[in-house]
Amino acid sequence: MAELVEKWLDNPVSRSVLKFCTGRDTCGRRVELALRKYAGENVKLCMKCSTAYRMIARILNSILRKGGLDRGRIQVHLRDPMWRKGLASVLEGIAEYGISRPFTGFSPFLMVWNLTRVCNLSCVHCYESARTRASGELDTDGAKLAVRRLADAGVAYIAFSGGEPLMRADLFEIIDEVKRNEMAFSIATNATLATIQISRRLKDLDCAFVQVSLDGATAETHDTFRGTKCFERTVAGIRNLVGEGIQVGVATTVTKRNLDEVPAIIDMAEELGAMLFMNYNFIPTGRGAALKQSDLDPAERERLLAWMASEIGKRKLTLLSTACQYSRICAGAGRLSLTHFDTFGQYHDLAKSAQFLAEFVGGCGTSRLYCALEPNGDIEPCVFIPIVLGNILRDDFLDIWHNHPVFKAIRRRESFKGYCGVCEHRNICGGCRARAYGYLGDLTESDPGCILNERAWESVVRREIKPVQVKA
């Protein structure tokens, strides 16, 4: 199937067809309108859009027929705006860049939006140094305009983060704008404010996912990270969200301070009804810059990720990590993961067919599949990389996405310095650009957290990290 996709979509004829189909007219994005029509919707098309529809339909029908796939099932998926926008971005990306490894979308599939820096907690590892309102934070009208601009660019999914997004009084008004513009959304929260009423409202708005930060299996550990007593409120919030039928993931930033509690945290997440556990890679930025001495060394990270991979299939929930090396480890264990934080590749019946997609999706998605937005509308490569590339209200977002030198540098993995630039796993991992920047001040440096790149870590240790005694 992978070879078939490449044959049909990555050749000069198909790319020229897709180039025409990805144009924009007064009636909208041609490719998305064509996909609506293909899904069976009653869509009025101009002459160019009608031509685009016929071309897209011919390509899709050929792929489905040769791949033995069911058109009806694909049509059902295409009626989902997130799925449709995602496929539109893929087709436009192929027209623009070809089927590259790893792949770059025509627009980000996902925008992680730090909606506010206001927070009711004061976490010691917060990348945003969140507590009080940021200067220039977008008001309601500005946030709605930002939503519309992201929608116009083809973004399919907004992940609200912070700070604590539930502390914005206009959050649900902004979410209403997201839904009006046919995008999906999720929320990252500390869950202390996730009452039954809030949880029910999120469910009614079809919230795709809620990620809850839980940094310990005990109140003592969790509250030490969070800067205040909140463990019981966080657990209650998780129960409220799960009780309303929302898909919940538990996210833990793992350091030496809570490494030994990871199995117990996963046990707790299962008991609470979470569907996912996410091991967040520690990034030395924001308030977290003061915790470098607590970061896992490469050997500790490798053992943790290997243990998580060995637990896949034994747990009720999915085990993921933002550590890019997880892709390599899962592949080596016969549990291929399309990225370090996806669910698709973690099932044996899908692993073989996912081999092509692993390099296509390609590990770290910064600059290719997602980027970030700050409370004032500033565009950044990642919430963990505080480099301002422009502003959503003042600048042409797609021009920044396609042409900014920072995005281009991150996409050129063959030009990375050190081991990341020559690693055989480069296309399914890529190393964490945020860790390279946070530790070495260079987005194109090698990730100093990888066991295959211990020289970089030794350099970091010599310069910045002193041995620390951590309570067992």
Side-chain angles (χ1 to χ4, degrees):
M1 183 63 187
E3 293 79 7
L4 179 65
V5 172
E6 286 197 274
K7 178 181 177 181
W8 277 93
L9 295 182
D10 199 22
N11 64 73
V13 175
S14 294
R15 285 188 64 186
S16 64
V17 168
L18 288 175
K19 198 74 174 177
F20 169 81
C21 294
T22 55
R24 294 173 183 243
D25 296 294
T26 54
C27 42
R29 297 169 73 196
R30 289 179 196 162
V31 65
E32 191 170 351
L33 290 169
L35 293 175
R36 282 180 179 273
K37 179 77 171 177
Y38 192 83
E41 292 187 23
N42 184 18
V43 183
K44 292 183 179 180
L45 302 177
C46 68
M47 184 177 297
K48 288 184 178 179
C49 289
S50 294
T51 302
Y53 163 68
R54 290 193 293 272
M55 292 176 173
I56 291 289
R58 188 173 299 130
I59 291 173
L60 291 179
N61 286 339
S62 296
I63 293 174
L64 294 178
R65 184 174 61 254
K66 292 182 180 294
L69 302 176
D70 178 55
R71 174 170 175 167
R73 186 176 179 183
I74 298 300
Q75 287 177 310
V76 170
H77 285 306
L78 287 175
R79 293 182 191 120
D80 180 336
M82 182 183 72
W83 211 94
R84 185 175 60 247
K85 285 176 180 288
L87 180 56
S89 181
V90 168
L91 293 173
E92 289 177 315
I94 292 171
E96 185 74 18
Y97 300 108
I99 296 184
S100 56
R101 290 181 174 84
F103 178 73
T104 298
F106 186 82
S107 56
F109 172 78
L110 166 70
M111 178 65 70
V112 182
W113 187 353
N114 291 329
L115 194 60
T116 183
R117 283 200 189 121
V118 176
C119 190
N120 58 333
L121 305 183
S122 186
C123 304
V124 296
H125 55 319
C126 180
Y127 62 84
E128 193 73 359
S129 297
R131 188 62 177 172
T132 59
R133 183 184 177 93
S135 175
E137 179 175 297
L138 299 181
D139 61 15
T140 305
D141 289 340
K144 287 182 177 180
L145 177 56
V147 169
R148 292 193 292 274
R149 292 203 169 173
L150 293 175
D152 289 343
V155 174
Y157 190 111
I158 295 178
F160 290 113
S161 189
E164 175 49 62
L166 292 177
M167 292 197 73
R168 274 200 65 145
D170 58 355
L171 172 64
F172 291 106
E173 192 174 346
I174 296 169
I175 290 174
D176 284 337
E177 188 70 19
V178 171
K179 301 303 290 184
R180 274 194 293 273
N181 283 273
E182 296 192 314
M183 291 185 285
F185 78 97
S186 64
I187 289 181
T189 174
N190 59 48
T192 60
L193 304 177
T195 62
I196 292 175
Q197 292 75 19
I198 292 292
S199 301
R200 189 166 296 157
R201 194 165 183 188
L202 288 171
K203 177 65 175 178
D204 291 342
L205 287 165
D206 197 26
C207 180
F209 178 72
V210 175
Q211 176 180 281
V212 179
S213 298
L214 184 67
D215 287 311
T218 65
E220 179 183 8
T221 303
H222 178 75
D223 294 347
T224 298
F225 275 91
R226 297 285 143 184
T228 189
K229 292 183 178 181
C230 63
F231 180 74
E232 297 300 333
R233 285 181 289 151
T234 295
V235 171
I238 294 174
R239 292 193 190 279
N240 291 336
L241 292 161
V242 171
E244 292 303 317
I246 295 175
Q247 294 198 59
V248 174
V250 165
T252 302
T253 300
V254 181
T255 70
K256 294 179 187 294
R257 300 182 180 194
N258 59 357
L259 175 59
D260 291 341
E261 288 190 31
V262 169
I265 295 171
I266 294 174
D267 290 341
M268 177 178 288
E270 284 186 319
E271 185 275 324
L272 291 170
M275 48 76 69
L276 181 152
F277 169 79
M278 177 72 77
N279 156 30
Y280 260 82
N281 224 7
F282 169 77
I283 310 295
T285 190
R287 282 198 294 269
L291 293 183
K292 290 179 180 179
Q293 73 279 3
S294 296
D295 192 8
L296 303 182
D297 63 43
E300 289 171 323
R301 180 172 288 102
E302 189 81 0
R303 286 194 296 270
L304 171 62
L305 297 177
W307 176 80
M308 288 176 57
S310 73
E311 290 289 298
I312 293 173
K314 302 175 184 178
R315 297 280 185 167
K316 297 176 184 177
L317 43 60
T318 301
L319 302 174
L320 306 179
S321 176
T322 63
C324 306
Q325 297 81 16
Y326 196 50
S327 299
R328 165 180 57 79
I329 290 171
C330 285
R335 293 171 171 85
L336 187 66
S337 185
L338 301 189
T339 78
H340 49 301
F341 56 96
D342 82 277
T343 60
F344 304 108
Q346 299 203 7
Y347 302 93
H348 291 293
D349 58 336
L350 296 178
K352 185 175 180 180
S353 62
Q355 289 177 1
F356 162 78
L357 291 175
E359 291 195 351
F360 186 69
V361 176
C364 178
T366 302
S367 84
R368 301 180 303 102
L369 305 175
Y370 74 87
C371 61
L373 205 63
E374 284 293 288
N376 65 351
D378 282 346
I379 301 160
E380 296 180 346
C382 168
V383 293
F384 299 107
I385 302 176
I387 300 175
V388 177
L389 310 180
N391 188 280
I392 190 67
L393 299 190
R394 296 193 299 268
D395 301 304
D396 185 325
F397 178 63
L398 283 179
D399 180 60
I400 291 172
W401 177 252
H402 289 291
N403 299 313
H404 199 286
V406 167
F407 280 142
K408 287 185 174 181
I410 295 173
R411 290 167 188 157
R412 290 193 296 268
R413 294 187 179 180
E414 68 280 2
S415 298
F416 288 172
K417 299 170 185 174
Y419 196 80
C420 281
V422 298
C423 180
E424 64 178 311
H425 308 289
R426 185 177 65 202
N427 287 344
I428 66 171
C429 173
C432 179
R433 298 301 96 210
R435 287 180 58 84
Y437 184 74
Y439 276 118
L440 303 171
D442 187 341
L443 288 168
T444 64
E445 270 287 0
S446 286
D447 180 350
C450 180
I451 195 74
L452 302 179
N453 190 41
E454 288 191 284
R455 286 186 179 180
W457 180 253
E458 290 168 1
S459 173
V460 165
V461 170
R462 285 196 299 271
R463 289 191 306 167
E464 302 186 52
I465 298 179
K466 298 178 181 180
V468 63
Q469 295 296 321
V470 179
K471 182 179 177 181

